[in-house]
Protein backbone atom coordinates (compact mmCIF):
# COMPACT_ATOMS: atom_id res chain seq x y z
CA UNK A 1 0.00 0.00 0.00
CA UNK A 2 1.24 3.47 -0.87
CA UNK A 3 1.86 5.56 2.26
CA UNK A 4 0.23 8.98 2.35
CA UNK A 5 2.15 12.17 2.83
CA UNK A 6 1.03 14.87 5.20
CA UNK A 7 -2.59 16.02 4.86
CA UNK A 8 -2.70 19.42 3.13
CA UNK A 9 -5.99 20.37 4.75
CA UNK A 10 -7.18 19.18 8.17
CA UNK A 11 -10.71 19.88 9.44
CA UNK A 12 -11.86 19.39 13.03
CA UNK A 13 -15.17 19.07 14.87
CA UNK A 14 -14.01 20.36 18.26
CA UNK A 15 -16.40 18.36 20.46
CA UNK A 16 -16.30 17.69 24.19
CA UNK A 17 -15.88 21.14 25.74
CA UNK A 18 -19.10 20.83 27.75
CA UNK A 19 -18.17 17.45 29.23
CA UNK A 20 -14.66 18.66 30.02
CA UNK A 21 -16.19 21.51 32.05
CA UNK A 22 -18.98 19.49 33.68
CA UNK A 23 -16.48 16.91 34.95
CA UNK A 24 -14.71 19.77 36.74
CA UNK A 25 -17.98 21.23 38.13
CA UNK A 26 -17.47 24.29 35.90
CA UNK A 27 -20.02 26.02 33.67
CA UNK A 28 -20.02 24.75 30.07
CA UNK A 29 -18.68 28.05 28.79
CA UNK A 30 -15.49 27.42 30.80
CA UNK A 31 -15.03 24.37 28.56
CA UNK A 32 -15.36 26.56 25.47
CA UNK A 33 -12.78 28.97 26.90
CA UNK A 34 -10.41 26.05 27.41
CA UNK A 35 -11.29 25.05 23.85
CA UNK A 36 -9.80 28.31 22.61
CA UNK A 37 -6.49 27.39 24.33
CA UNK A 38 -6.61 24.03 22.60
CA UNK A 39 -7.33 25.71 19.27
CA UNK A 40 -4.34 28.03 19.68
CA UNK A 41 -2.09 25.00 20.40
CA UNK A 42 -3.50 23.15 17.39
CA UNK A 43 -3.00 26.09 15.01
CA UNK A 44 0.65 26.35 16.06
CA UNK A 45 1.16 22.57 15.73
CA UNK A 46 -0.40 22.50 12.24
CA UNK A 47 1.79 25.39 11.07
CA UNK A 48 4.91 23.71 12.50
CA UNK A 49 4.08 20.48 10.69
CA UNK A 50 3.61 22.20 7.32
CA UNK A 51 -0.15 21.67 7.06
CA UNK A 52 -1.53 24.29 4.65
CA UNK A 53 -5.09 24.70 5.90
CA UNK A 54 -6.99 24.05 9.12
CA UNK A 55 -10.79 24.32 9.29
CA UNK A 56 -12.59 24.17 12.64
CA UNK A 57 -16.27 23.99 13.58
CA UNK A 58 -16.83 26.63 16.27
CA UNK A 59 -20.60 27.25 16.08
CA UNK A 60 -23.13 25.35 14.02
CA UNK A 61 -26.38 26.62 12.52
CA UNK A 62 -28.07 24.36 15.10
CA UNK A 63 -26.13 25.68 18.13
CA UNK A 64 -28.62 28.59 18.42
CA UNK A 65 -30.89 26.04 20.13
CA UNK A 66 -28.51 25.74 23.12
CA UNK A 67 -29.30 27.49 26.42
CA UNK A 68 -29.26 31.28 26.01
CA UNK A 69 -26.27 31.84 28.31
CA UNK A 70 -24.18 29.30 26.40
CA UNK A 71 -25.04 30.94 23.05
CA UNK A 72 -24.16 34.41 24.36
CA UNK A 73 -21.00 32.92 25.97
CA UNK A 74 -19.92 31.62 22.55
CA UNK A 75 -20.63 35.00 20.90
CA UNK A 76 -18.55 36.74 23.61
CA UNK A 77 -15.80 34.20 23.07
CA UNK A 78 -15.71 34.98 19.36
CA UNK A 79 -15.34 38.69 20.21
CA UNK A 80 -12.53 37.81 22.61
CA UNK A 81 -10.84 35.72 19.92
CA UNK A 82 -11.06 38.72 17.56
CA UNK A 83 -9.54 41.10 20.12
CA UNK A 84 -6.95 38.85 21.74
CA UNK A 85 -6.04 36.09 19.32
CA UNK A 86 -6.21 37.74 15.90
CA UNK A 87 -3.19 40.03 16.43
CA UNK A 88 -1.12 36.97 17.46
CA UNK A 89 -2.41 34.91 14.54
CA UNK A 90 -1.66 37.78 12.16
CA UNK A 91 1.92 38.01 13.47
CA UNK A 92 2.32 34.24 13.07
CA UNK A 93 1.48 34.35 9.36
CA UNK A 94 -2.03 32.88 9.64
CA UNK A 95 -4.64 33.86 7.03
CA UNK A 96 -8.06 33.92 8.67
CA UNK A 97 -11.44 33.18 7.12
CA UNK A 98 -14.76 33.09 8.96
CA UNK A 99 -17.04 30.71 7.18
CA UNK A 100 -20.78 30.76 7.73
CA UNK A 101 -23.95 32.80 7.64
CA UNK A 102 -23.34 36.30 9.02
CA UNK A 103 -27.00 37.26 9.16
CA UNK A 104 -28.09 36.98 12.78
CA UNK A 105 -24.66 38.01 14.12
CA UNK A 106 -24.27 41.41 15.82
CA UNK A 107 -23.01 44.36 13.73
CA UNK A 108 -19.95 44.52 16.00
CA UNK A 109 -19.12 40.89 15.31
CA UNK A 110 -19.70 41.21 11.56
CA UNK A 111 -17.34 44.18 11.24
CA UNK A 112 -14.77 42.43 13.50
CA UNK A 113 -14.82 39.33 11.29
CA UNK A 114 -14.35 41.41 8.12
CA UNK A 115 -11.45 43.34 9.70
CA UNK A 116 -9.71 40.16 10.90
CA UNK A 117 -9.97 38.74 7.39
CA UNK A 118 -8.63 41.85 5.66
CA UNK A 119 -5.82 42.26 8.25
CA UNK A 120 -4.56 38.72 7.58
CA UNK A 121 -5.36 38.39 3.86
CA UNK A 122 -1.74 38.55 2.70
CA UNK A 123 -0.48 35.89 5.16
CA UNK A 124 0.59 32.58 3.66
CA UNK A 125 1.88 30.29 6.43
CA UNK A 126 -1.45 28.62 7.29
CA UNK A 127 -5.05 29.22 6.24
CA UNK A 128 -7.35 29.01 9.27
CA UNK A 129 -11.07 28.72 8.52
CA UNK A 130 -13.28 29.22 11.56
CA UNK A 131 -16.77 27.93 10.78
CA UNK A 132 -19.20 30.03 12.77
CA UNK A 133 -22.97 29.89 12.27
CA UNK A 134 -22.10 27.29 9.67
CA UNK A 135 -23.86 24.19 8.40
CA UNK A 136 -22.98 21.97 5.46
CA UNK A 137 -26.57 22.14 4.17
CA UNK A 138 -26.56 25.94 4.47
CA UNK A 139 -23.35 26.01 2.41
CA UNK A 140 -24.76 23.85 -0.40
CA UNK A 141 -28.00 25.89 -0.45
CA UNK A 142 -26.21 29.27 -0.48
CA UNK A 143 -23.95 28.09 -3.32
CA UNK A 144 -26.98 26.95 -5.36
CA UNK A 145 -28.79 30.23 -4.65
CA UNK A 146 -25.77 32.18 -5.81
CA UNK A 147 -25.60 30.26 -9.10
CA UNK A 148 -29.31 30.87 -9.72
CA UNK A 149 -28.81 34.60 -9.00
CA UNK A 150 -25.90 34.72 -11.43
CA UNK A 151 -27.82 32.73 -14.06
CA UNK A 152 -25.25 29.93 -14.07
CA UNK A 153 -26.09 26.24 -14.50
CA UNK A 154 -25.99 24.13 -11.33
CA UNK A 155 -23.03 21.91 -12.19
CA UNK A 156 -20.51 20.30 -9.86
CA UNK A 157 -17.76 22.67 -11.02
CA UNK A 158 -19.91 25.79 -10.57
CA UNK A 159 -21.14 24.64 -7.15
CA UNK A 160 -17.56 23.97 -6.07
CA UNK A 161 -16.64 27.54 -7.02
CA UNK A 162 -19.59 28.98 -5.11
CA UNK A 163 -19.03 27.03 -1.86
CA UNK A 164 -17.77 28.86 1.20
CA UNK A 165 -14.44 26.98 1.20
CA UNK A 166 -13.66 27.52 -2.48
CA UNK A 167 -10.32 29.07 -1.49
CA UNK A 168 -9.04 25.70 -0.14
CA UNK A 169 -8.56 22.18 -1.47
CA UNK A 170 -11.04 19.68 0.01
CA UNK A 171 -10.05 18.48 3.48
CA UNK A 172 -7.86 15.37 3.38
CA UNK A 173 -8.50 14.52 7.01
CA UNK A 174 -11.57 15.27 9.14
CA UNK A 175 -11.05 14.75 12.87
CA UNK A 176 -13.85 14.66 15.44
CA UNK A 177 -12.95 14.72 19.12
CA UNK A 178 -15.30 13.86 21.99
CA UNK A 179 -16.23 10.28 21.06
CA UNK A 180 -19.20 10.77 18.69
CA UNK A 181 -18.87 9.27 15.23
CA UNK A 182 -20.81 11.57 12.91
CA UNK A 183 -20.28 14.70 10.82
CA UNK A 184 -23.13 16.75 12.36
CA UNK A 185 -23.64 18.89 9.24
CA UNK A 186 -19.93 19.78 8.91
CA UNK A 187 -18.39 20.12 5.41
CA UNK A 188 -20.93 17.75 3.83
CA UNK A 189 -19.93 18.65 0.27
CA UNK A 190 -16.19 18.99 0.82
CA UNK A 191 -15.67 15.77 2.83
CA UNK A 192 -16.78 13.42 0.03
CA UNK A 193 -13.33 11.80 -0.07
CA UNK A 194 -11.89 12.88 3.27
CA UNK A 195 -10.44 10.34 5.65
CA UNK A 196 -12.45 10.40 8.88
CA UNK A 197 -10.77 10.06 12.27
CA UNK A 198 -12.68 9.83 15.53
CA UNK A 199 -11.14 10.05 18.97
CA UNK A 200 -12.58 9.89 22.50
CA UNK A 201 -10.21 12.68 23.54
CA UNK A 202 -12.20 15.77 24.60
CA UNK A 203 -11.30 18.90 22.60
CA UNK A 204 -9.69 20.82 25.50
CA UNK A 205 -7.31 17.85 25.93
CA UNK A 206 -6.44 17.47 22.23
CA UNK A 207 -2.71 18.22 22.15
CA UNK A 208 0.24 17.87 19.74
CA UNK A 209 0.56 14.12 20.44
CA UNK A 210 -3.15 13.61 19.69
CA UNK A 211 -2.75 15.53 16.42
CA UNK A 212 0.25 13.38 15.51
CA UNK A 213 -1.78 10.20 16.18
CA UNK A 214 -4.47 11.45 13.81
CA UNK A 215 -1.87 12.28 11.14
CA UNK A 216 -0.24 8.85 11.56
CA UNK A 217 -3.64 7.16 11.13
CA UNK A 218 -4.20 9.26 7.99
CA UNK A 219 -0.82 8.30 6.58
CA UNK A 220 -1.57 4.60 6.99
CA UNK A 221 -4.83 4.82 5.01
CA UNK A 222 -5.13 4.02 1.32
CA UNK A 223 -7.03 6.73 -0.56
CA UNK A 224 -8.59 5.37 -3.71
CA UNK A 225 -11.03 8.09 -4.84
CA UNK A 226 -13.24 5.42 -6.42
CA UNK A 227 -10.37 3.58 -8.14
CA UNK A 228 -9.00 0.11 -7.31
CA UNK A 229 -6.08 -0.50 -4.99
CA UNK A 230 -3.92 -1.61 -7.97
CA UNK A 231 -4.72 1.58 -9.89
CA UNK A 232 -3.53 3.79 -7.07
CA UNK A 233 -0.30 1.80 -6.69
CA UNK A 234 -1.36 -0.10 -3.58
CA UNK A 235 -1.80 -3.86 -3.07
CA UNK A 236 -0.36 -5.85 -5.96
CA UNK A 237 -2.01 -9.19 -6.84
CA UNK A 238 -0.01 -12.08 -5.32
CA UNK A 239 1.82 -14.36 -7.80
CA UNK A 240 -0.26 -17.50 -8.41
CA UNK A 241 2.15 -19.83 -6.58
CA UNK A 242 1.94 -17.93 -3.30
CA UNK A 243 -1.84 -17.74 -3.63
CA UNK A 244 -1.99 -21.54 -3.72
CA UNK A 245 0.36 -21.82 -0.75
C1 LIG B 1 -18.78 21.36 21.00
O1 LIG B 1 -18.58 20.86 22.30
C2 LIG B 1 -18.13 22.65 20.87
C3 LIG B 1 -18.74 23.83 20.53
C4 LIG B 1 -20.18 23.91 20.23
C5 LIG B 1 -18.00 25.09 20.50
C6 LIG B 1 -16.58 24.97 20.00
C7 LIG B 1 -15.86 26.20 20.34
C8 LIG B 1 -14.56 26.25 20.70
C9 LIG B 1 -13.65 25.11 20.74
C10 LIG B 1 -13.96 27.53 21.08
C11 LIG B 1 -13.51 28.29 19.89
C12 LIG B 1 -14.51 29.33 19.75
C13 LIG B 1 -14.43 30.34 18.91
C14 LIG B 1 -15.47 31.33 19.04
C15 LIG B 1 -13.39 30.52 17.88
P1 LIG B 1 -19.85 20.59 23.20
O2 LIG B 1 -20.19 21.85 23.90
O3 LIG B 1 -20.95 20.01 22.37
O4 LIG B 1 -19.30 19.53 24.22
P2 LIG B 1 -20.11 18.32 24.86
O5 LIG B 1 -20.43 17.37 23.72
O6 LIG B 1 -19.12 17.73 25.81
O7 LIG B 1 -21.32 18.87 25.53
Amino acid sequence: MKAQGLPRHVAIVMDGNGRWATRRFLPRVAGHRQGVESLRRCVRACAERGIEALTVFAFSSENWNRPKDEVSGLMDLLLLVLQREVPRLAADGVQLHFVGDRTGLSARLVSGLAKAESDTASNTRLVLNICFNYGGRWDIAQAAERLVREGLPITEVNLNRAMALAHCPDPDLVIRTGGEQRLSNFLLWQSAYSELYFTDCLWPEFDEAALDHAIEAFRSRERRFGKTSEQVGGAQPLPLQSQVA
Side-chain angles (χ1 to χ4, degrees):
M1 196 184 76
K2 215 170 101 188
Q4 299 298 324
L6 204 63
R8 290 180 67 194
H9 182 179
V10 173
I12 309 184
V13 180
M14 308 180 288
D15 197 12
N17 297 341
R19 276 165 286 164
W20 181 91
T22 306
R23 283 176 197 173
R24 286 163 179 76
F25 306 102
L26 294 168
R28 292 176 57 83
V29 76
H32 298 315
R33 273 199 294 274
Q34 197 61 32
V36 174
E37 302 300 316
S38 198
L39 178 55
R40 186 189 308 130
R41 179 170 59 202
C42 190
V43 169
R44 194 182 332 113
C46 285
E48 283 168 2
R49 281 154 185 73
I51 288 164
E52 294 167 44
L54 172 66
T55 299
V56 294
F57 206 3
F59 190 89
S60 79
S61 320
E62 291 74 32
N63 285 153
W64 292 105
N65 299 321
R66 291 198 172 200
K68 253 187 169 165
D69 60 337
E70 186 172 347
V71 170
S72 62
L74 281 161
M75 296 295 153
D76 292 346
L77 207 54
L78 182 58
L79 269 178
L80 193 79
V81 163
L82 290 174
Q83 286 157 5
R84 204 184 59 185
E85 304 292 334
V86 169
R88 290 189 216 180
L89 292 168
D92 286 346
V94 174
Q95 185 187 114
L96 261 168
H97 296 260
F98 291 93
V99 177
D101 186 359
R102 296 190 191 185
T103 55
L105 302 184
S106 71
R108 190 167 166 218
L109 260 182
V110 172
S111 67
L113 300 183
K115 182 169 181 334
E117 287 180 335
S118 65
D119 286 353
T120 60
S122 58
N123 285 346
T124 54
R125 186 154 183 233
L126 174 82
V127 171
L128 173 61
N129 301 302
I130 298 186
C131 295
F132 200 92
N133 199 14
Y134 171 88
R137 290 178 176 177
W138 164 83
D139 196 7
I140 295 167
Q142 70 78 27
E145 270 172 32
R146 196 191 312 180
L147 296 186
V148 170
R149 242 187 351 261
E150 293 171 3
L152 292 168
I154 301 195
T155 62
E156 211 173 301
V157 171
N158 286 342
L159 274 172
N160 240 335
R161 287 200 190 116
M163 302 290 290
L165 279 183
H167 56 284
C168 285
D170 283 345
D172 303 293
L173 170 63
V174 176
I175 299 172
R176 180 171 185 148
T177 63
E180 310 292 352
Q181 304 201 355
R182 54 177 170 258
L183 284 176
S184 298
N185 203 11
F186 186 48
L187 305 183
L188 296 183
W189 175 271
Q190 298 86 345
S191 63
Y193 283 100
S194 304
E195 295 298 326
L196 307 181
Y197 177 87
F198 300 103
T199 169
D200 289 337
C201 178
L202 303 178
W203 175 249
E205 289 164 352
F206 190 85
D207 59 9
E208 291 87 348
L211 176 68
D212 286 335
H213 271 126
I215 293 173
E216 270 318 301
F218 169 82
R219 297 186 69 161
S220 71
R221 307 256 181 102
E222 180 179 70
R223 304 187 77 193
R224 293 201 290 273
F225 300 97
K227 295 182 180 172
T228 66
S229 188
E230 289 77 15
Q231 283 176 304
V232 295
Q236 299 299 320
L238 288 171
L240 260 185
Q241 269 171 334
S242 47
Q243 280 183 26
V244 173

